[in-house]
């Protein structure tokens, strides 16, 4: 009798549970109508107690067997979609709940990778020259002569006084093995890898700072930095409007004149440099202009830059014989005997001093 009663009670309980629960389906898709697979769906009661979890199948569906009542669905779309929470009222015979997940997007901060700059803590040999130091040494000479106070750098010029064609070496490497950039833009010629400083007269007046990294190291583009990397940065920006006129006078009729106007985001400079040069007939006449527009925006900075140089220089790169530079007359005669000089060239050698120039005729520029 007792066994029959228990059997009937158990059957009634199973019938009650079967009739008290009913299925409902959740279907997910994205903005493009694509079904979303393997999205986690959690079902909680009104007290935020987790009851069931389910993953959507390949059709973007998940089915739940739940009693009638009010529930909260939490749909976690993972890193690619927005997480959403929805309340539903489940009744017997309820069908499918459709949801569209919005694609999640992030606004990331700008990341700038600079291969031509090293921090002071980096294990490379480098030297920076500030704007204040540049103003003290800026006398109109070419950039190589202004940088010669830095370690391992040797500079010279054809004219002998730093005006006109100039060159530098760092750790024995010539300019074809030195990467030179202005604001990250390479200056090295694409064919010879040479840098012609004479094409940028008085650029020093518009530099904000200079960084020299010696040895094999960083370079952004252009010639490989086997010997060194020279990074020139413009940005001699002032906080107030001003007009500056500057004139410099030096030996061998060397003159440098420039006028610079700073007004708001604009900076404009006009320059002229003239010199007879230390070497005979090593004259130079160089003109340049520099225009820069620099504007700070809300989250960035806009900089437009254009500079131009035009030069006329007398040829003087042949050099001076060592015997002539030392004043050794006998060694000079031996030098003449070993070389096929014309009578005019021999006369030029014998009548010249340390300022000797192989090129003689007028306007050999």
């Amino acid at each position: 009798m007792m066994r029959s009663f228990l059997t009937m009670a158990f059957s009634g309980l199973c019938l009650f549970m079967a009739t008290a629960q009913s299925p409902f389906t959740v279907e997910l898709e994205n903005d493009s109508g694509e079904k979303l697979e393997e999205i986690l769906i959690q079902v909680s009661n009104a007290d935020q107690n987790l009851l069931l979890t389910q993953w959507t199948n390949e059709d973007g569906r998940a089915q739940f067997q739940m009693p009638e009542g009010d529930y909260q669905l939490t749909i976690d779309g993972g890193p690619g979609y927005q997480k959403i929470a929805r309340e539903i009222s489940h009744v017997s015979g309820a069908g499918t709940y459709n949801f569209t997940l919005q694609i999640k997007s992030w606004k990331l901060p700008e990341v700038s990778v600079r291969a031509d700059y090293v921090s002071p803590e980096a294990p490379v040999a480098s030297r920076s020259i500030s704007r204040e130091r540049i103003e003290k040494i800026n006398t109109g000479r070419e950039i190589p002569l202004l940088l010669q106070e830095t370690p391992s750098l040797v500079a010279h010029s054809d004219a002998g006084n730093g005006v006109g064609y100039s060159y530098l070496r760092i750790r024995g490497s010539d300019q074809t093995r030195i990467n030179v950039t202005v604001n990250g833009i390479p200056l090295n010629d694409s064919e010879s890898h040479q840098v012609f400083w004479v094409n940028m007269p008085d650029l020093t007046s518009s530099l904000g700072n200079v960084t020299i990294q010696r040895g094999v190291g960083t370079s952004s583009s252009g010639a490989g930095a086997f010997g060194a990397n020279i990074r020139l940065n413009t940005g001699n920006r002032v906080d107030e409007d001003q007009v500056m006129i500057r004139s410099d006078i030096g030996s061998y009729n060397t003159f440098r004149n420039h006028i610079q106007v700073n007004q708001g985001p604009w900076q404009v400079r006009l320059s002229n440099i003239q010199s007879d040069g230390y070497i005979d007939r090593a004259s130079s006449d160089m003109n340049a202009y520099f225009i820069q527009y620099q504007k700070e925006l809300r989250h960035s900075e806009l900089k437009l830059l254009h500079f131009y140089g035009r030069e006329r220089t007398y040829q003087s790169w042949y050099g001076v014989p060592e015997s002539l530079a030392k004043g050794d007359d006998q060694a000079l005669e031996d030098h003449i005997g070993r070389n096929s000089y014309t009578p005019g060239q021999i006369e030029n050698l014998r009548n010249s001093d340390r300022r000797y120039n192989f090129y003689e005729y007028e306007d050999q520029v």
Side-chain angles (χ1 to χ4, degrees):
M1 184 69 179
M2 180 61 67
R3 177 178 297 177
S4 300
F5 176 77
L6 291 175
T7 300
M8 293 176 61
F10 180 75
S11 299
L13 179 61
C14 291
L15 180 62
F16 172 77
M17 293 177 63
T19 57
Q21 294 191 12
S22 61
F24 68 88
T25 302
V26 177
E27 186 173 300
L28 303 180
E29 62 182 22
N30 59 18
D31 294 333
S32 302
E34 299 174 347
K35 305 302 181 182
L36 299 179
E37 183 182 2
E38 296 186 355
I39 301 297
L40 179 64
I41 302 176
Q42 299 176 330
V43 180
S44 304
N45 59 17
D47 296 328
Q48 301 297 319
N49 296 319
L50 181 62
L51 301 178
L52 286 175
T53 60
Q54 188 70 268
W55 297 85
T56 56
N57 58 20
E58 58 184 9
D59 296 325
R61 295 184 178 185
Q63 191 174 64
F64 299 89
Q65 290 283 345
M66 301 293 296
E68 296 182 7
D70 296 328
Y71 299 99
Q72 178 166 315
L73 301 181
T74 302
I75 304 174
D76 187 357
Y81 296 95
Q82 300 283 355
K83 185 176 182 179
I84 63 175
R86 294 290 188 271
E87 293 184 357
I88 63 171
S89 295
H90 174 52
V91 297
S92 178
T96 302
Y97 297 92
N98 298 294
F99 298 99
T100 301
L101 297 188
Q102 304 294 327
I103 296 177
K104 185 189 296 185
S105 62
W106 295 269
K107 186 176 181 180
L108 300 177
E110 178 184 352
V111 177
S112 178
V113 179
R114 302 295 297 271
D116 58 347
Y117 173 77
V118 293
S119 65
E121 297 79 16
V124 295
S126 64
R127 173 67 63 87
S128 294
I129 302 177
S130 64
R131 177 61 200 171
E132 292 73 18
R133 181 57 185 166
I134 292 175
E135 290 178 346
K136 292 181 180 180
I137 63 178
N138 180 21
T139 57
R141 296 182 298 170
E142 298 294 343
I143 291 177
L145 279 298
L146 300 179
L147 302 180
Q148 64 181 350
E149 65 176 30
T150 60
S152 306
L153 192 150
V154 178
H156 71 279
S157 66
D158 285 352
N161 64 340
V163 179
Y165 275 89
S166 302
Y167 314 89
L168 60 84
R169 287 176 178 265
I170 297 179
R171 292 185 174 180
S173 297
D174 63 17
Q175 292 180 157
T176 63
R177 294 297 179 263
I178 298 173
N179 180 270
V180 182
T181 60
V182 174
N183 299 334
I185 306 301
L187 283 179
N188 299 71
D189 180 78
S190 59
E191 181 179 0
S192 68
H193 292 187
Q194 186 63 263
V195 178
F196 301 97
W197 304 97
V198 72
N199 291 336
M200 303 174 290
D202 205 26
L203 179 62
T204 312
S205 298
S206 300
L207 293 181
N209 61 78
V210 179
T211 301
I212 304 172
Q213 177 262 306
R214 302 183 297 278
V216 178
T218 61
S219 64
S220 57
S221 56
F226 301 114
N229 183 37
I230 299 178
R231 182 172 178 259
L232 308 174
N233 294 312
T234 64
N236 180 21
R237 187 174 179 178
V238 295
D239 296 329
E240 58 183 16
D241 297 343
Q242 65 178 19
V243 177
M244 181 176 65
I245 300 175
R246 177 173 177 174
S247 296
D248 299 271
I249 302 175
S251 303
Y252 310 104
N253 294 321
T254 301
F255 299 94
R256 192 269 296 266
N257 299 286
H258 80 216
I259 178 172
Q260 182 168 310
V261 179
N262 299 311
Q263 184 172 11
W266 290 97
Q267 179 185 119
V268 180
R269 172 181 54 81
L270 300 175
S271 301
N272 172 260
I273 301 176
Q274 297 181 14
S275 176
D276 289 344
Y278 173 75
I279 301 297
D280 286 341
R281 299 176 299 280
S283 59
S284 300
D285 185 5
M286 301 180 291
N287 299 279
Y289 67 75
F290 178 93
I291 302 174
Q292 177 172 278
Y293 177 85
Q294 187 173 355
K295 181 71 172 180
E296 291 185 0
L297 306 178
R298 184 175 180 182
H299 298 295
S300 60
E301 183 179 60
L302 173 65
K303 179 183 289 187
L304 302 177
L305 174 66
H306 179 69
F307 59 92
Y308 170 84
R310 185 178 186 275
E311 55 86 15
R312 180 183 175 88
T313 54
Y314 197 97
Q315 291 188 27
S316 55
W317 55 266
Y318 197 80
V320 180
E322 182 181 3
S323 55
L324 182 60
K326 292 182 176 180
D328 190 335
D329 293 337
Q330 183 58 50
L332 178 61
E333 293 300 325
D334 295 339
H335 171 78
I336 293 174
R338 293 191 302 267
N339 294 273
S340 301
Y341 288 112
T342 65
Q345 293 170 342
I346 293 175
E347 183 181 358
N348 182 32
L349 263 172
R350 289 172 176 170
N351 296 330
S352 298
D353 54 15
R354 294 170 60 91
R355 300 179 62 187
Y356 162 79
N357 190 348
F358 175 82
Y359 302 99
E360 301 178 74
Y361 63 85
E362 186 178 356
D363 283 340
Q364 190 161 353
V365 296

